[in-house]
């Protein structure tokens, strides 16, 4: 797992796209996250723009107890929720990349010290999600 951007971290895996997507859903569930939104980016781009794009899904995940804690600390925190993850087909056949937003970076925008412990816990859980996915198909 590596910090790939200031706002996210990801891991390449030796799992096909559908398998990586299924494993991501499973690992999120094990960490108490439900999926609130699911966007098939490739399908949307094909329908709206007529262009082809690699298989790519955005998952909006939420852990209700942690979201509740964040909302109690700052009511407008919903503007930064849910936690987004991406799963997309890698450059090599049979590989994928799974990435997650970094809640420490995203929620730091609030400058609210009560949010920091929640952001840290979410980050730790998302790291475990990616580690769990990697256990099923580590690459590079």
């Amino acid at each position: 797992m590596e910090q790939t951007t200031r706002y996210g971290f990801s891991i390449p895996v030796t799992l096909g796209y559908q398998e990586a997507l299924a494993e991501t859903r499973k690992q999120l569930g094990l960490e108490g996250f439900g999926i609130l939104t699911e966007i098939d980016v490739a399908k949307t781009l094909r329908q709206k723009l007529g262009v082809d794009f690699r298989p790519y899904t955005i998952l909006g995940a939420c852990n209700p107890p942690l979201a509740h804690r964040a909302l109690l600390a700052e009511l407008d925190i919903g503007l930064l929720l849910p936690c987004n993850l991406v799963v997309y087909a890698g450059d090599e056949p049979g590989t994928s990349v799974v990435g997650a937003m970094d809640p420490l970076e995203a929620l730091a925008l609030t400058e609210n010290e009560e949010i920091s412990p929640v952001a840290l816990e979410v980050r730790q859980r998302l790291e475990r999600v990616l580690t769990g996915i990697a256990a099923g198909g580590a690459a590079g």
Side-chain angles (χ1 to χ4, degrees):
M1 179 172 25
E2 62 182 280
Q3 190 85 27
T4 49
T5 66
R6 182 171 159 233
Y7 53 86
F9 50 95
S10 66
I11 190 159
V13 293
T14 54
L15 296 170
Y17 168 74
Q18 290 296 335
E19 191 177 3
L21 190 56
E23 189 64 25
T24 301
R25 287 186 187 106
K26 174 185 168 189
Q27 294 296 326
L28 283 167
L30 292 174
E31 286 295 331
F33 289 91
I35 297 171
L36 301 177
T37 60
E38 185 167 336
I39 302 166
D40 183 334
V41 174
K43 179 180 176 184
T44 301
L45 292 176
R46 189 171 37 260
Q47 288 175 342
K48 301 294 183 184
L49 301 177
V51 298
D52 288 326
F53 195 73
R54 71 178 70 205
Y56 192 114
T57 297
I58 302 170
L59 299 173
C62 179
N63 179 298
L66 294 174
H68 183 240
R69 282 178 45 203
L71 287 162
L72 289 175
E74 181 152 336
L75 194 54
D76 285 335
I77 198 75
L79 294 167
L80 299 172
L81 301 177
C83 296
N84 282 331
L85 292 93
V86 295
V87 179
Y88 57 88
D91 293 334
E92 300 296 322
T95 67
S96 298
V97 175
V98 181
M101 66 166 263
D102 185 343
L104 291 175
E105 286 294 327
L107 300 180
L109 291 170
T110 67
E111 298 180 349
N112 180 336
E113 290 182 21
E114 293 180 55
I115 297 294
S116 296
V118 178
L120 179 60
E121 185 171 345
V122 173
R123 164 81 190 218
Q124 292 168 339
R125 287 174 184 252
L126 291 175
E127 286 175 345
R128 288 193 299 265
V129 166
L130 268 60
T131 299
I133 296 164

